[in-house]
Amino acid sequence: MQKSWERPKITISKTKSEWVWDVIGYSIFIGSIIIILFNWNLLPEKVPAHYNALGEVDRYGSKWELLILPCIGIFIMIFLQVLERHPEFHNYPSRLNESNVEQFYLNSRKILNKIKNICLIIFSCIIVESISISLGWGIGFGKWFLPIAFLCTVIPIILGMIGQRKIQ
């Protein structure tokens, strides 16, 4: 089995779909941070800090806790961006070889790109909903948020694995 440090390091340009995902994910995430900044002085001292599986607020905390999600989002964004740039460190089946390495790298990088941006979008939704509830504009996610968020993160992984199986 080939070790990750023995795999070729090749440069593959970002695809149009990766650029589109980045623009959408980053824009929504930055937008949610802007929403926090513009509404900071309007927020009460206690804001929703946790939601149960039905999307109902089950804990309130300091408005400073709203800054946790952007911080985690930034960490995830940086971490997954670094991993996207180094697909040679990803996990691949033993059939990886010189003739299919570019296909494997691109497929794996696209999966990470989608997951990164979906996580940013999900975090942004939670931030905006927490602000909305705090200001009396929203009532909570409802019972569909968790299943939809779960599916949005799992479907790209499954589709990517199916794509990987098709690589010869």
Side-chain angles (χ1 to χ4, degrees):
M1 178 183 266
Q2 196 176 36
K3 305 286 185 220
S4 62
W5 58 86
E6 296 172 346
R7 294 187 188 133
K9 181 171 174 48
I10 58 176
T11 303
I12 305 168
S13 298
K14 267 194 172 191
T15 64
K16 189 174 183 174
S17 71
E18 289 173 298
W19 282 110
V20 168
W21 274 101
D22 280 346
V23 167
I24 292 169
Y26 291 177
S27 297
I28 291 172
F29 186 67
I30 291 168
S32 71
I33 293 171
I34 291 170
I35 289 171
I36 289 175
L37 295 175
F38 275 108
N39 290 292
W40 187 259
N41 291 330
L42 301 173
L43 292 171
E45 285 306 311
K46 295 291 183 185
V47 298
H50 192 266
Y51 297 87
N52 64 21
L54 297 175
E56 302 162 339
V57 178
D58 63 2
R59 185 175 76 77
Y60 284 83
S62 166
K63 70 180 182 179
W64 291 96
E65 289 185 50
L66 279 177
L67 301 178
I68 293 171
L69 283 176
C71 291
I72 294 170
I74 289 167
F75 172 77
I76 288 174
M77 179 177 63
I78 292 168
F79 180 70
L80 292 181
Q81 189 68 38
V82 168
L83 282 178
E84 275 183 68
R85 290 187 181 155
H86 296 283
E88 66 272 13
F89 294 121
H90 302 181
N91 193 18
Y92 299 102
S94 57
R95 58 190 167 86
L96 175 78
N97 58 48
E98 288 182 22
S99 66
N100 62 16
V101 68
E102 189 170 338
Q103 289 175 292
F104 273 112
Y105 282 11
L106 184 59
N107 183 63
S108 185
R109 195 181 71 196
K110 282 181 170 183
I111 295 169
L112 270 181
N113 180 270
K114 288 175 189 163
I115 294 302
K116 172 188 71 182
N117 288 298
I118 288 168
C119 286
L120 292 177
I121 292 167
I122 290 169
F123 283 8
S124 299
C125 290
I126 296 169
I127 291 166
V128 170
E129 188 62 21
S130 293
I131 291 170
S132 295
I133 292 168
S134 298
L135 297 175
W137 303 338
I139 57 170
F141 288 112
K143 62 183 176 185
W144 292 105
F145 181 76
L146 186 60
I148 289 171
F150 177 75
L151 286 175
C152 285
T153 54
V154 171
I155 288 173
I157 294 169
I158 292 170
L159 293 176
M161 291 171 63
I162 291 169
Q164 186 182 63
R165 294 190 80 194
K166 292 179 180 178
I167 298 172
Q168 297 297 320

